[in-house]
Amino acid sequence: MPRLPQRHPSALQLLRESLQQEGDATTPAPAAPPHVAAAPAVSGFSARQRELLAAPLDRAKVRQREQGRMRVSYLEGWQVIAEANRIFGFDGWDRLTLNASCVAEHERPVGRERKSGWGVTYTVRVRIVVIAGERCLIREGSGAGHGIDLDQGLAHESALKEAETDATKRALMSFGNAFGLALYDKQQRQVSSGREQGSATKTAQQQVEPVDAPLEPAVITGLQTRIKALPPSRLEAFSRGFRVAFQVPDTQPSLAGLITTSAHQRWIEGFLGLRSGA
């Protein structure tokens, strides 16, 4: 009986394999099996991804908070994850929490009424793996989180979540301005408004975000049909991504009636892998 030809592992398989291997952030991606090395490799990010990574950080996404006697600029955790989904793709990156440690826990007064409560601090180390062509790029980051609550369990929950988010942002930061690297420059020379973008960035935006237009009913029906055919896990990922991309609240039960413009079409086709460079 003739042998079936061997199938090369997909990029997603390589990503999953890399998460199972130990190593620090500077360790190169795991070596592929011999039959994979013989296959032609797609090297690095696409041209569109490189343009998005090199673009200045949009100042509208930057938040500020008081820290001691200083005002500190930062990106919110959800914004960083949304950027990773936009640039790398929903199935183009992964996150693994390597370790989490409670380093402080003590009783303390909480609130204006000084009620008895808890203060908790966690440290977390996170590994980020990103698919770039047939390569798996590994980054790691450490973060800390503090939780203060009347309830001891809620204080732990708050501290752990904050630490994991902090570590995720620090790991993704190494990929450039879109993830907050520009904020470490005190002069913030790579933070600008949309009107201050360079010509190369404007060109990339025009390619990714052309002028919006209403969709024909037949196009809407076709998109809805493709979405309904998705397996449950993929459909759930679509729902989460669409809500983040277009700021749809969780109180909106159905997304079908919200697919009305070419912006929605471009995003859906990118998610389904129907557009070149997506």
Side-chain angles (χ1 to χ4, degrees):
M1 182 175 179
R3 293 183 178 179
L4 295 175
Q6 290 182 317
R7 297 182 60 185
H8 302 316
S10 66
L12 185 56
Q13 287 174 315
L14 292 175
L15 185 151
R16 287 171 177 165
E17 290 171 5
S18 70
L19 285 174
Q20 297 172 357
Q21 300 193 12
E22 291 298 324
D24 57 30
T26 60
T27 303
H35 65 275
V36 175
V42 179
S43 178
F45 292 118
S46 68
R48 169 180 173 270
Q49 288 175 317
R50 288 195 297 271
E51 295 243 26
L52 293 173
L53 290 171
L57 174 62
D58 185 355
R59 191 173 297 279
K61 298 176 181 178
V62 179
R63 300 291 180 265
Q64 290 192 330
R65 66 170 180 265
E66 297 290 340
Q67 185 168 307
R69 298 181 180 181
M70 300 175 58
R71 290 186 65 82
V72 178
S73 298
Y74 69 99
L75 295 179
E76 294 184 88
W78 73 266
Q79 179 70 60
V80 170
I81 292 174
E83 283 295 280
N85 288 337
R86 181 174 74 98
I87 296 174
F88 304 136
F90 289 92
D91 57 354
W93 72 289
D94 210 341
R95 176 179 71 178
L96 177 69
T97 299
L98 300 178
N99 58 65
S101 301
C102 179
V103 296
E105 178 185 23
H106 56 274
E107 293 187 65
R108 55 157 292 169
V110 177
R112 293 182 178 179
E113 298 180 2
R114 312 293 287 175
K115 293 184 177 180
S116 178
W118 293 88
V120 176
T121 298
Y122 271 81
T123 59
V124 167
R125 188 158 185 84
V126 161
R127 174 178 295 166
I128 299 293
V129 182
V130 174
I131 296 175
E134 290 298 325
R135 299 173 59 197
C136 290
L137 306 179
I138 299 175
R139 301 288 190 271
E140 292 184 6
S142 297
H146 312 283
I148 300 173
D149 204 285
L150 298 175
D151 183 274
Q152 185 179 10
L154 293 178
H156 276 269
E157 179 184 9
S158 178
L160 181 57
K161 286 180 177 179
E162 182 179 300
E164 186 176 53
T165 298
D166 188 37
T168 299
K169 292 197 294 183
R170 289 178 183 274
L172 283 169
M173 177 193 67
S174 64
F175 286 105
N177 297 330
F179 301 101
L181 180 62
L183 299 178
Y184 282 77
D185 175 7
K186 293 182 179 180
Q187 299 180 22
Q188 297 191 0
R189 286 165 290 194
Q190 288 297 312
V191 182
S192 62
S193 65
R195 286 175 291 186
E196 297 170 346
Q197 302 286 348
S199 58
T201 305
K202 290 182 180 178
T203 301
Q205 289 177 335
Q206 290 168 357
Q207 293 173 347
V208 179
E209 302 177 3
V211 177
D212 252 357
L215 294 176
E216 296 290 336
V219 175
I220 296 175
T221 301
L223 293 172
Q224 291 173 342
T225 300
R226 286 181 178 274
I227 294 167
K228 291 178 181 178
L230 293 173
S233 60
R234 186 76 168 155
L235 184 60
E236 182 181 354
F238 166 83
S239 178
R240 290 199 305 268
F242 191 93
R243 290 180 185 278
V244 170
F246 298 102
Q247 300 182 353
V248 180
D250 293 336
T251 53
Q252 175 69 33
S254 174
L255 302 179
L258 302 182
I259 303 172
T260 57
T261 72
S262 56
H264 300 144
Q265 180 185 13
R266 291 193 301 275
W267 189 92
I268 293 170
E269 290 179 345
F271 179 86
L272 297 175
L274 302 179
R275 295 177 66 87
S276 59

